[in-house]
Structures are given as structure tokens and as C-alpha cells.
């Protein structure tokens, strides 16, 4: 036996974690979310790398050109594979296209190459064939005229230059930024409501009387906040890890290392932002007396989290820069700005310090209100009553 | 003997409230309440609804703020560390509905400062004793109310408390469980633990308690051993004769409380209650008159039940 209450918060935190991780709905929810993340990425990867095999009917006169097409098609567009179907003549070729034993027929009519398809043009195939036929024809014509193709093409290259970065990366930044906001929103609501509920459960079942007679209420609050924060961060880390590993298997794989840094920062901001809100969720739970009250006591927090989520998505320009320093908006906005390479390191540190300061403040204020409203039963307690109540 | 015992124990006041006061808005729920709970004694806390018992107990346990007065443990102001070693059973029962019985008891034991191993051993032993060993893995909400009550009691005694404060520990228990509970409390008082418990079941309080405290409207209206409380009332005697007892109304020095056929309930009028077991002179005169007039079937002191004393003081 020990006389001190020093480690009491640890006992409380451990119970919070144990109760949640042995809760079937929590486990199922986590696994389903991981499956959804992995599934989305897998679908993305499958769509992106889907190759199409085209069967092209080839009359004897077009064989040489068709073989060139077959050999070079995949080198031009990795999603296009061409197989050849030798036919006796144009009429047999049309018949093959009509009965769908071939997707297209490549043949020459009056000195012009023709790609015949059934009812709609096969665009990917057409693009590949067009290029190859043109190159082959130009080469043949050049040889006939006694000049080299290289001479003809000199100075004709077009080098693309992007003013606003890489479109693929910009697309990824948008997706990951949305993921930051959404994960923060989801985790805050899910764990926040669970925290408020468990505070209410203790208050409503009066088990809090027994706990409060054994350990300081401050320890109870600390344990609950720490326990839920650990759960939220571990769950988030799991989602992020699955997301990053999954991303490595998609066309964005080259960018994974580039976003890993901002993702780690996001986890840090998430941690601070979550703690800043966790105490307020506990307060929302302690102000209620029945689960019906919870709806009204948690509404301001739900609104706040919506603001953080939509703020991260919608704010532009100066408002975006300012917002990235304002807690708890900064929990989402600053990591996104970091992702966009739009924030310097000292800005990131400043935002994190402000967020931590905000967390410290809510812990202090929250502890006082929680302590004073927790043991008051009989109806919803207003913030003002709780703040002014005597211990 | 009885008197000797109570004198010997009166030196060992363990838990005490001194002028304890609590207001709720304009209402003073507990008004300068001073009670003392002695080592090894069961002290019954009696009073109507709203008398202030629960409020007092919550202040003793530190879960409700004190507006005046103090709570002392072994003569000095009680500390949080002291309270951690008190066993407490709140009025509205407190358990996690959705957690397993044993896990929950282990948690409560740990909060009270036990190691997990010791808490598990103690909880398992008590569950076995209350016939709940096979329910250890069940969630609390699956238990009947009576069984939840047993778990609650186990939670209060689990950590070998140095004092116990129990709010209505017997309510909702069947007679067998009441006996088991009483035995359990006696075990703890035998090793010197002071126990304060509230109850509406006056016969039970009468049977179990060494002392009782009666509260009404936020104040203590009576306190002491049951015998001491009875001593504060004029002793009554019952006379039963074969014929009609109406004549007793004419005997001087005797106040007739009630006559019903051959039965009369009387008090000595001269304010001389007589010593223990001794009957006042006016009552002796009454008895002589009865023997002269009629056949006496019964004459003896009437011990008023606690409920009657309670009604008198709490009125």
C-alpha cells in the first residue's frame, strides 16, 4: 500500500485506455477506418495503373507499320498494349472489328493511314498510333528527300515550364491537406464526445463520489485527458502510417518523402490541439447531468471544430496566414501551409508555442470548472454557476 | 456492564464533526452538526428525508465543500490522505455500469492505494463471500440491484478501510444479505474501525448500533447509546388485570397514558423515574392497589421501541 496519490492520474489514464481498447465498437471502428484508407488508396492505384490491351486487325499491306506500332506503343503510353490480329484484307478486317474480335483495324486507303473502330474512337490507342504513324511517315519522307529527321526537327522541341509548381504535387497537397483537416475533425469529435460521455457516466452513476473521496479531482481529469489523448494520437499515427505506406504504392510514391516532414509536424500540432480541446470536452461532460444535456453542452465545441475544419479548407490569402497562428485553427492550417512550403520554420515553431499556450490555458480553466461542476447533480450546470461555485 | 463498556469506549473518538455547516443557496441543509464516531462502534445515523444526513456524510468524505465547522480524524483536521483510507458508500450508488465487476473493484482498490495484486485478491475473496464469484467477469449493469449493492459494499471495504461512512448500506438488501452485511461490518468494528451508517430501517439500527445520531431539519436532535436515549424519557409501566383497569385513573401520583380493558399504560407523575430496575414509590402504591382490587396478570416496565423515541425527538 502507498499513501500517496501521486500516480493516481496514471491509474485513471490506464483505465481509460483499457476500457476503450477492449470496447468492440471502438476496435471495429478503427479497423474499418484503416480498411477504408487502404481501400481508397488501392482503388486509386488500380485506376491509375490500369493498362488497356487493344487488338488491332492488320491486313497484309499494313503489317510493317502495325509491328512498329506494337513495338513502340507501350513506350509512348504505358497504359496501352497493342496486339496484332493478321487478317486477309480490308473486308475481313472490318468484319473482325464489327464482331468485336478486334478493337480496331489499321490500314491504308489512298495514301492515308486509317484507324477503323466500331462505333467510337479509342482515344488512347488513336493518340499512340497517330504519333507513331507520323514519325514513321516523316522518317520515310525525309529519307526520300535526302535529309535526316534530326535536321528537320531541330529547334522544334517544346520545354514545359510551370509557374505554380508541379500540378501533381499541388494535387497531392490538396488531398493531404484535406486529410489533415478531416482527421483532426474526426478524432476531435469522436474522442471528444467519448471523453464528455465518460465524464458524464461517472457523474451520472455517482462513481465520481467514490473516486473524489479517494483521489484529487484534478488527477481524475488529468488521467482522462491523458488517456484519451494517447488513444487519439496512437489511432491517428496508425491511420497516417497506413496512408503513407499505401501512398508509396501509387503514382505519388516519389512524393512520400517530401510530405513526411509536414506529416510529423501535423502529428505534433494534432497532439497540442487535441489537448487544448480535451479539457473543454471534459468540462462539457461535467456541466451535463443527463445524456440529454450533453447535446447542448457540447454544441459550442462541435461548432469550434467545424470552424477549424472549414477554416483549413476555405481560408485564403492573408486570412489563411493569420489563421495558421490562431489556436486551435493553427492545429490544421499550419501543417497545411508547411505542406505548401508556405511557412518558414520559425512560423511553425511560433504557431506550435501559441497552441501549447492555449492548451495550458484551457487545462487551467477547464480544471477549475470541471472540479466545481462535477459534484453538482440536479440539472444542467451553467458555466457561470460552475465558475463561481464554491468547492 | 453496558455503561462500563460505553464509558471505556468514549475515550476513543476517531472521527468527529464539529459545528459542520452547509448551505444550498438560502437553505441551511446542515446546521452546526457535531457528531462523533468511536473506535469499534457502529453508529447509526437516522433522520427523515432531507434531514441532512447525506449532506453531512458527503462533507465528511470531502466530496462536498464545507461552509462552516470542521471534520477531524483522531483529533486533528482530516486530510485527503486520511479520507483515501476511509471506506465510502454514497447514497446514489456509484459504479461503472459497463465495466466488469472484478476489474472495477480492482480499480477502486488501486485508487484507494492498494497494489493491483492485493486489490484483486481482496476483491475475489469478498465476491466469493457474497456469492458473486461466478459473476466476477460480468458487467455491473447485468447484475440485479441487490447484487450491485453487494458489489458496492465490497468496493467500500475492499482496501481494509480505517473508517467507514456508509449511506443507506442496507437499503435494497434481502434479509440474508442484511445479515451478511451486518456480520461484515461487525468484523471491521471488532478490529477497532469506526463505522457511521445511515438508515431508515429503525429496527435494524436498534438491533445493530452501539450509538445513534438522530437528525431533523439539518440539526442533531438526539445522540447517544440507545439506552441513553431511552433514559431521557419517563419510564412507562404496563399493568394488566383480570377485570377492567379504569380505576387506575383515580390513583394519585400516577399519570395514565392509556387504558384498554384490563390493560393500563402508566407513568410515575412525581418525576421520580427511579433507578435502573427500580420502581417509583407511586407505582408501588399502584401495584398494591391492583392486588387489593383484582387479580394482577402482568406488571412491568415497557421498553419503547426506537421508532417511538424517534417520532418523539424528530417531531
Amino acid at each position: 500500500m502507498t499513501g500517496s496519490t501521486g500516480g493516481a492520474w496514471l491509474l485513471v489514464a490506464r483505465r481509460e485506455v483499457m476500457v476503450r481498447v477492449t470496447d468492440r465498437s471502438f476496435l471495429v471502428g478503427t479497423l474499418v477506418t484503416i480498411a477504408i484508407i487502404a481501400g481508397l488508396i488501392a482503388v486509386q492505384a488500380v485506376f491509375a495503373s490500369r493498362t488497356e490491351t487493344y487488338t488491332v486487325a492488320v491486313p497484309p499491306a499494313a503489317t510493317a507499320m502495325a509491328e512498329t506500332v506494337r513495338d513502340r506503343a507501350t513506350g509512348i503510353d504505358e497504359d496501352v498494349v497493342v496486339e496484332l490480329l493478321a487478317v486477309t484484307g480490308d473486308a475481313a478486317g472490318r468484319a473482325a472489328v464489327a464482331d468485336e474480335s478486334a478493337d480496331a483495324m489499321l490500314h491504308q486507303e489512298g495514301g492515308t493511314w486509317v484507324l477503323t473502330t466500331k462505333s467510337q474512337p479509342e482515344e488512347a490507342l488513336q493518340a499512340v498510333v497517330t504519333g507513331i504513324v507520323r514519325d514513321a511517315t516523316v522518317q520515310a519522307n525525309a529519307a526520300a528527300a535526302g535529309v535526316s529527321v534530326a535536321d528537320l526537327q531541330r529547334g522544334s522541341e517544346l520545354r514545359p515550364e510551370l509557374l505554380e509548381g508541379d500540378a501533381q504535387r499541388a494535387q497531392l497537397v490538396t488531398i493531404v491537406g484535406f486529410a489533415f483537416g478531416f482527421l483532426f475533425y474526426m478524432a476531435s469529435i469522436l474522442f471528444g464526445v467519448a471523453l464528455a460521455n465518460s465524464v458524464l457516466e461517472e457523474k451520472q452513476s455517482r462513481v465520481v463520489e467514490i473516486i473524489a473521496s479517494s483521489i484529487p479531482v484534478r488527477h481524475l481529469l488529468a488521467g482522462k485527458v491523458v488517456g484519451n489523448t494517447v488513444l487519439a494520437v496512437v489511432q491517428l499515427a496508425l491511420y497516417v502510417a497506413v496512408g503513407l505506406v499505401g501512398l508509396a504504392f501509387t503514382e505519388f510514391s516519389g512524393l512520400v518523402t517530401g510530405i513526411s516532414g509536414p506529416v510529423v509536424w501535423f502529428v505534433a500540432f494534432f497532439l497540442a490541439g487535441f489537448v487544448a480541446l480535451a479539457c473543454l470536452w471534459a468540462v462539457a461532460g461535467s456541466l451535463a447531468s443527463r445524456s440529454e444535456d450533453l447535446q447542448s453542452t457540447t454544441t459550442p465545441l462541435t461548432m469550434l471544430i467545424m470552424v477549424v475544419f472549414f477554416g483549413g479548407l476555405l481560408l485564403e490569402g492573408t486570412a489563411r496566414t493569420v489563421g495558421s497562428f490562431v489556436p486551435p485553427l493553427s492545429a490544421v492550417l499550419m501543417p497545411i501551409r508547411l505542406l505548401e512550403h508556405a511557412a518558414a520554420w520559425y512560423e511553425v515553431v511560433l504557431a506550435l508555442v501559441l497552441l501549447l499556450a492555449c492548451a495550458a490555458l484551457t487545462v487551467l480553466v477547464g480544471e477549475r470548472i470541471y472540479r466545481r461542476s462535477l459534484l453538482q447533480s440536479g440539472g444542467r450546470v451553467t458555466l457561470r454557476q460552475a465558475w463561481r461555485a464554491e468547492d | 456492564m453496558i455503561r462500563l463498556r460505553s464509558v471505556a469506549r468514549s475515550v476513543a473518538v476517531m472521527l468527529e464533526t464539529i459545528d459542520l455547516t452547509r448551505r444550498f443557496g438560502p437553505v441551511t441543509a446542515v446546521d452546526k452538526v457535531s457528531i462523533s464516531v468511536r473506535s469499534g462502534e457502529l453508529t447509526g445515523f437516522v433522520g427523515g428525508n432531507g434531514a441532512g444526513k447525506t449532506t453531512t456524510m458527503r462533507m465528511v468524505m470531502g466530496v462536498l465543500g464545507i461552509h462552516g465547522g470542521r471534520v477531524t480524524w483522531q483529533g486533528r483536521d482530516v486530510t485527503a490522505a486520511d479520507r483515501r483510507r476511509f471506506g465510502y458508500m454514497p447514497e446514489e450508488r456509484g459504479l461503472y455500469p459497463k465495466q466488469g465487476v472484478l476489474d472495477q473493484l480492482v480499480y477502486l482498490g488501486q485508487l484507494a492505494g492498494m497494489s493491483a495484486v492485493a486489490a484483486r485478491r481482496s476483491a475475489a475473496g469478498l465476491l466469493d463471500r457474497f456469492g458473486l464469484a461466478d459473476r466476477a467477469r460480468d458487467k455491473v449493469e447485468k447484475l440485479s440491484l441487490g447484487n450491485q449493492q453487494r458489489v458496492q459494499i465490497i468496493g467500500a471495504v475492499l482496501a481494509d478501510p480505517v473508517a467507514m461512512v456508509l449511506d443507506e448500506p442496507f437499503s435494497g438488501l434481502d434479509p440474508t444479505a442484511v445479515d451478511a452485511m451486518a456480520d461484515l461490518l461487525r468484523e471491521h468494528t471488532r478490529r477497532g474501525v469506526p463505522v457511521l451508517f445511515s438508515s431508515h430501517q429503525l429496527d435494524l439500527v436498534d438491533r445493530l448500533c452501539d450509538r445513534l445520531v438522530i437528525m431533523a431539519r439539518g440539526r442533531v436532535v438526539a445522540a447517544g447509546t440507545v439506552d441513553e436515549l431511552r433514559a431521557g424519557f419517563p419510564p412507562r409501566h404496563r399493568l394488566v388485570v383480570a377485570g377492567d383497569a379504569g380505576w387506575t385513573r383515580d390513583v394519585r401520583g400516577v399519570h395514565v397514558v392509556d387504558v384498554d380493558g384490563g390493560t393500563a399504560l402508566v407513568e410515575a407523575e412525581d418525576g421520580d423515574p427511579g433507578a435502573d430496575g427500580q420502581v417509583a414509590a407511586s407505582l408501588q402504591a399502584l401495584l398494591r392497589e391492583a392486588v387489593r382490587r383484582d387479580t394482577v396478570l402482568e406488571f412491568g416496565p415497557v421498553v419503547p421501541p426506537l421508532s417511538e423515541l424517534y417520532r418523539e425527538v424528530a417531531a
Side-chain angles (χ1 to χ4, degrees), chain A residues 117-363:
Chain A
T117 53
K118 193 178 179 188
S119 55
Q120 57 184 2
E122 297 282 0
E123 281 171 18
L125 178 67
Q126 195 179 316
V128 168
V129 173
T130 305
I132 294 169
V133 166
R134 189 185 54 223
D135 282 358
T137 313
V138 166
Q139 209 150 11
N141 293 349
V147 290
S148 77
V149 176
D151 288 341
L152 284 176
Q153 287 183 339
R154 185 161 302 118
S156 70
E157 301 93 344
L158 181 68
R159 180 170 58 84
E161 186 181 271
L162 304 177
L163 274 180
E164 296 200 338
D166 181 343
Q168 194 190 30
R169 188 182 150 78
Q171 188 190 354
L172 183 68
V173 164
T174 307
I175 294 171
V176 174
F178 178 82
F180 282 1
F182 189 70
L183 283 174
F184 186 82
Y185 173 80
M186 279 269 292
S188 292
I189 297 273
L190 276 177
F191 284 94
V193 168
L195 179 58
N197 259 316
S198 89
V199 169
L200 175 65
E201 181 196 27
E202 281 168 358
K203 187 177 174 179
Q204 201 170 20
S205 71
R206 310 307 298 172
V207 73
V208 70
E209 295 230 340
I210 297 177
I211 297 171
S213 69
S214 294
I215 63 168
V217 170
R218 192 178 296 118
H219 279 258
L220 179 59
L221 176 64
K224 296 188 89 72
V225 169
V226 169
N228 279 281
T229 305
V230 166
L231 282 168
V233 170
V234 168
Q235 198 187 53
L236 176 81
L238 205 59
Y239 293 164
V240 165
V242 170
L244 284 182
V245 169
L247 217 50
F249 289 102
T250 69
E251 54 179 319
F252 297 118
S253 59
L255 300 171
V256 169
T257 42
I259 64 165
S260 293
V263 165
V264 170
W265 275 106
F266 168 65
V267 174
F269 273 88
F270 176 90
L271 179 64
F274 187 86
V275 171
L277 296 174
C279 270
L280 300 182
W281 282 106
V283 165
S286 73
L287 291 176
S289 275
R290 299 163 303 148
S291 36
E292 291 86 346
D293 300 334
L294 214 50
Q295 189 76 43
S296 62
T297 59
T298 57
T299 301
L301 273 167
T302 318
M303 302 288 280
L304 184 64
I305 290 166
M306 299 271 272
V307 166
V308 171
F309 178 49
F310 286 109
L313 287 186
L314 303 176
L315 283 185
E316 295 287 352
T318 314
R320 191 174 178 82
T321 310
V322 172
S324 69
F325 290 99
V326 177
L329 198 55
S330 54
V332 168
L333 257 184
M334 186 49 91
I336 294 180
R337 283 191 62 215
L338 196 61
L339 203 60
E340 292 165 345
H341 294 316
W345 69 268
Y346 57 85
E347 289 183 277
V348 180
V349 172
L350 178 62
L352 190 58
V353 167
L354 285 174
L355 188 57
L356 285 171
C358 167
L361 188 69
T362 64
V363 167

Side-chain angles (χ1 to χ4, degrees), chain A residues 30-166:
Chain A
T30 306
L31 290 176
V32 166
T33 309
I34 287 176
I36 289 174
I37 294 174
L40 282 176
I41 290 171
V43 166
Q44 175 74 24
V46 166
F47 269 109
S49 64
R50 194 178 55 173
T51 58
E52 194 77 53
T53 302
Y54 298 93
T55 305
V56 177
V58 187
T63 304
M65 180 62 84
E67 280 171 353
T68 312
V69 168
R70 182 190 62 196
D71 296 342
R72 291 180 53 196
T74 311
I76 294 171
D77 183 339
E78 60 183 11
D79 293 343
V80 174
V81 174
V82 173
E83 285 175 358
L84 302 183
L85 175 69
V87 290
T88 51
D90 288 6
R94 282 202 181 81
V97 172
D99 70 12
E100 292 182 2
S101 58
D103 297 302
M105 174 174 65
L106 183 64
H107 59 123
Q108 220 170 2
E109 258 180 42
T112 305
W113 286 99
V114 178
L115 186 67
T116 307
T117 53
K118 193 178 179 188
S119 55
Q120 57 184 2
E122 297 282 0
E123 281 171 18
L125 178 67
Q126 195 179 316
V128 168
V129 173
T130 305
I132 294 169
V133 166
R134 189 185 54 223
D135 282 358
T137 313
V138 166
Q139 209 150 11
N141 293 349
V147 290
S148 77
V149 176
D151 288 341
L152 284 176
Q153 287 183 339
R154 185 161 302 118
S156 70
E157 301 93 344
L158 181 68
R159 180 170 58 84
E161 186 181 271
L162 304 177
L163 274 180
E164 296 200 338
D166 181 343

